[in-house]
Amino acid sequence: MAQNQTKYSFIAEEIRNRIMNHEYPLDKPIPDEMTLSKEFDCSRMTMKKALEVLVLEGLLYRKRGHGTFIIKSALDRDKLQIHNQEVNGFTKLVDGKNVKSRVISFQVVFPDETIAERLNIEKETPVYDILRVRMVGKEPYVLEHTYMPVNVIPGVTQQVLEGSVYQYIQDELGLKIASSYKQIRADKPSKLDRDYLDCGETDPVMEVEQTVYLNNGVAFEYSLSRHRYDKFVFTTVNIARR
């Protein structure tokens, strides 16, 4: 289990991997909470919370009196699934694939009014201004423009940016990423998109504008990420509470 990872999130990750690797049959319920609790040596409450994570992600659904089943459409691997609850970062999203980060520009600047407002900081607070292309193998997937307060996330270097910033934040700084606020919109490709994402002039892009928070409520990232339309599916799950 990774540092700062809760027991239930570790279990959810393991069951998620089993689902994506087709280790459970699609026409039958997955093992019940009691069986899984014994396997993972945890309480039923912890197991219930782990399964609830996967229900909210749209991987599982509960059928009263029959058990918990896999949602078959969730196993479509043609495109990466980004869920509305996703706060794990790109490297974690494509776990198991050869992820590379190409740093286009990296500097420390003072934020403008919009960036300062999103990060809830003063305009005199230095921030990292980072522009990266996230690649899987040799193919570009996302063009990320990210701002982070230097005093909140210290020690970011070129080497960190060429890997996983979120892994650095969690494993090296010992901080816990808790939540994000996102807005998703379609847009026409810009020159940067065409240059770095291999977009055609008429190819749409999906832009994700987000602010991400640590578990102490401090905003540590404001970013604009431009996604290739042919590589991602954005998924939202709505569950009626009774």
Side-chain angles (χ1 to χ4, degrees):
M1 189 163 64
Q3 184 180 6
N4 291 324
Q5 188 176 27
T6 60
K7 178 76 171 181
Y8 79 85
S9 65
F10 169 77
I11 294 170
E13 182 177 343
E14 173 61 27
I15 295 176
R16 185 188 300 111
N17 290 336
R18 293 181 184 183
I19 291 170
M20 301 310 293
N21 290 325
H22 303 277
E23 294 182 26
Y24 295 128
L26 297 179
D27 57 346
K28 296 179 182 179
I30 67 170
D32 59 41
E33 287 180 10
M34 182 64 75
T35 301
L36 289 170
S37 296
K38 290 179 180 178
E39 179 185 352
F40 285 96
D41 190 24
C42 68
S43 68
R44 287 194 66 179
M45 184 61 69
T46 298
M47 182 54 61
K48 184 176 182 179
K49 196 170 183 180
L51 294 178
E52 185 69 14
V53 169
L54 302 179
V55 169
L56 291 172
E57 288 183 2
L59 284 176
L60 297 175
Y61 72 96
R62 301 181 189 275
K63 190 173 181 181
R64 188 181 296 274
H66 295 276
T68 304
F69 294 80
I70 297 168
I71 297 176
K72 296 179 183 179
S73 61
L75 299 183
D76 179 6
R77 292 194 178 201
D78 291 341
K79 298 180 182 179
L80 295 177
Q81 300 272 345
I82 297 183
H83 302 280
N84 59 329
Q85 297 91 359
E86 181 67 58
V87 292
N88 290 321
F90 184 74
T91 301
K92 189 68 175 177
L93 175 66
V94 296
D95 193 23
K97 296 186 179 180
N98 181 23
V99 178
K100 296 180 180 179
S101 300
R102 177 185 174 191
V103 181
I104 299 170
S105 64
F106 173 40
Q107 57 186 330
V108 175
V109 301
F110 292 111
D112 62 23
E113 186 174 348
T114 298
I115 296 166
E117 180 182 325
R118 296 294 191 277
L119 291 172
N120 195 28
I121 58 176
E122 301 295 328
K123 292 169 69 174
E124 294 76 23
T125 304
V127 297
Y128 301 113
D129 180 344
I130 305 159
L131 186 62
R132 297 190 298 172
V133 178
R134 312 305 302 279
M135 309 179 73
V136 176
K138 295 182 179 180
E139 264 197 299
Y141 272 51
V142 187
L143 180 63
E144 294 179 347
H145 199 169
T146 305
Y147 302 91
M148 293 182 174
V150 175
N151 63 335
V152 177
I153 310 296
V156 174
T157 64
Q158 179 87 8
Q159 183 177 3
V160 170
L161 295 178
E162 289 173 353
S164 168
V165 176
Y166 277 28
Q167 184 176 336
Y168 169 76
I169 290 171
Q170 295 177 105
D171 295 348
E172 299 298 325
L173 298 182
L175 301 174
K176 187 173 181 181
I177 299 169
S179 61
S180 66
Y181 174 77
K182 298 180 183 180
Q183 290 184 319
I184 302 172
R185 61 181 70 91
D187 198 6
K188 296 178 181 179
S190 65
K191 186 177 186 305
L192 281 175
D193 297 326
R194 295 195 297 272
D195 288 347
Y196 293 105
L197 291 180
D198 293 339
C199 289
E201 291 189 3
T202 59
D203 289 342
V205 294
M206 296 299 295
E207 181 178 76
V208 179
E209 179 180 3
Q210 72 171 358
T211 305
V212 192
Y213 300 86
L214 300 173
N215 65 336
N216 59 6
V218 173
F220 75 90
E221 174 192 314
Y222 170 66
S223 62
L224 293 163
S225 299
R226 311 276 288 184
H227 296 69
R228 277 180 49 162
Y229 80 96
D230 57 338
K231 299 297 183 184
F232 296 89
V233 171
F234 291 86
T235 303
T236 182
V237 180
N238 298 303
I239 300 174
R241 301 295 184 185
R242 296 179 181 177

